[in-house]
Amino acid sequence: MITLDIQGFQELQDELAKELSALRSDRVVTVGIHEEAGNVESGDLTMASLGAINEFGADIKHPGGTSYGYASKAAADRDEVRFLRSGSGYMELGVTKPHNITIPARPWLEPGVASATQEVLLTIQEGIEAGQSMDQILEAVGVVAEAAVKVYMTELRTPPNAASTIRQKGSSNPLIDTGAMRQSVTHKVSIGPASEGLE
């Protein structure tokens, strides 16, 4: 494992800034959920929008009409109430009224990329020393940053999901359900400036 003291790290950043200035290019690398990721499997929401909702949080106006009650006789004996799929369950107790659902922010992209800062700088330095082209360096940086974001998403635990959400999806990881959102995180080298996402 490579470690750098703060002074050495700053000197490395300054030196790389000079080297990158000499290699100026109109190419950029973007990391995240790109437009071509398409829609979430279960609806019209794009995968990129789902990523943004998790990154920044959201308030959703739910129209109501969701059935709730006991999923089984054993659940009724335990007085365990949960949402029911239409026409399923042991006993319906009622239907929800219109209400607001608040999804808390769970930043994953910016902190995920930031977690790779040292490795990105070292990747750039190694690329420059090896005489790589700017495209090759950016591609290597994209690979490093993409991997770091996926690890960060996997390890994120706060804020936690509601108990009902954990029961429904069978996992306590707030960003992982089917894994489709994490799999949608990619990197792309293109002509800048970035035409999508955050700047």
Side-chain angles (χ1 to χ4, degrees):
M1 179 177 170
I2 298 172
T3 57
L4 299 169
D5 62 30
I6 293 174
Q7 182 181 357
F9 186 64
Q10 186 59 53
E11 289 170 0
L12 174 60
Q13 281 184 308
D14 294 344
E15 186 60 34
L16 288 175
K18 286 180 195 172
E19 294 282 354
L20 287 172
S21 180
L23 287 172
R24 240 180 236 293
S25 165
D26 61 351
R27 310 292 276 174
V28 296
V29 61
T30 54
V31 177
I33 301 174
H34 294 91
E35 192 175 10
E36 51 272 9
N39 286 10
V40 175
E41 187 178 316
S42 58
D44 294 332
L45 185 70
T46 67
M47 196 61 76
S49 295
L50 177 62
I53 287 168
N54 279 286
E55 180 81 9
F56 302 110
D59 287 314
I60 299 171
K61 293 186 183 200
H62 194 286
T66 304
S67 176
Y68 61 90
Y70 300 123
S72 64
K73 181 167 186 331
D77 292 342
R78 294 190 304 270
D79 196 27
E80 184 180 279
V81 177
R82 65 173 56 189
F83 293 120
L84 303 173
R85 288 192 174 93
S86 179
S88 70
Y90 172 70
M91 181 188 300
E92 182 182 70
L93 297 176
V95 176
T96 61
K97 295 179 179 173
H99 58 284
N100 288 334
I101 299 172
T102 298
I103 299 174
R106 294 182 174 97
W108 56 272
L109 182 55
E110 287 194 38
V113 170
S115 72
T117 300
Q118 269 196 350
E119 193 176 352
V120 163
L121 290 171
L122 290 172
T123 299
I124 294 168
Q125 180 185 32
E126 289 166 2
I128 290 169
E129 289 172 354
Q132 293 179 341
S133 69
M134 181 55 82
D135 274 9
Q136 289 173 314
I137 292 171
L138 290 175
E139 178 65 28
V141 164
V143 168
V144 167
E146 176 187 326
V149 169
K150 289 178 176 178
V151 168
Y152 190 90
M153 292 173 80
T154 303
E155 294 176 350
L156 185 77
R157 292 292 180 269
T158 57
N161 281 135
S164 59
T165 302
I166 294 171
R167 276 196 309 270
Q168 181 182 7
K169 71 180 193 176
S171 165
S172 62
N173 185 307
L175 288 181
I176 310 273
D177 184 0
T178 65
M181 189 175 97
R182 179 181 53 192
Q183 289 170 353
S184 296
V185 174
T186 57
H187 69 279
K188 181 165 65 172
V189 176
S190 58
I191 296 173
S195 60
E196 58 185 320
L198 305 173
E199 295 189 22

